Amino acid sequence: MKKTKNNKKERFVAARRNSDGTLSEFKDSRGKVYDYEQALEAVEKGMIENAIPFTGRDGARHIRGLNDGNESTNLKNLKEF
């Protein structure tokens, strides 16, 4: 995955959930859609500015929004697409 020409990071602006409510897909500010694994890879490469990777209690890698006290940066608050 390439960064944009000006090295500006993208943002996740929308998300899709599975039937159990877990986030399964993300849409970035350019309109590109990522499945969860692609999104995790982009976050781990530093290509997404409003998400960070972490290792959960289950030992697996996950994505979370920035912990900055701003509810708008929480990934669960992204609009649906």
Side-chain angles (χ1 to χ4, degrees), residues 6-71:
N6 63 4
N7 290 330
K8 181 181 179 233
K9 293 181 179 183
E10 298 301 326
R11 297 180 60 80
F12 289 141
V13 297
R16 187 170 285 148
R17 289 172 170 71
N18 287 329
S19 59
D20 67 0
T22 59
L23 296 170
S24 62
E25 291 182 309
F26 297 89
K27 184 185 285 189
D28 74 15
S29 46
R30 291 181 330 203
K32 180 177 179 178
V33 176
Y34 302 79
D35 67 25
Y36 197 90
E37 290 302 316
Q38 291 168 328
L40 179 58
E41 182 180 338
V43 169
E44 288 178 330
K45 287 182 176 181
M47 298 170 61
I48 307 295
E49 69 180 10
N50 64 332
I52 58 172
F54 74 100
T55 302
R57 292 182 187 156
D58 59 1
R61 296 292 284 167
H62 301 281
I63 303 167
R64 76 168 62 153
L66 300 177
N67 187 9
D68 60 2
N70 182 348
E71 281 296 311

Side-chain angles (χ1 to χ4, degrees), residues 50 64-66 68 70-78:
N50 64 332
R64 76 168 62 153
L66 300 177
D68 60 2
N70 182 348
E71 281 296 311
S72 69
T73 59
N74 189 321
L75 297 180
K76 72 179 181 180
N77 293 331
L78 293 175

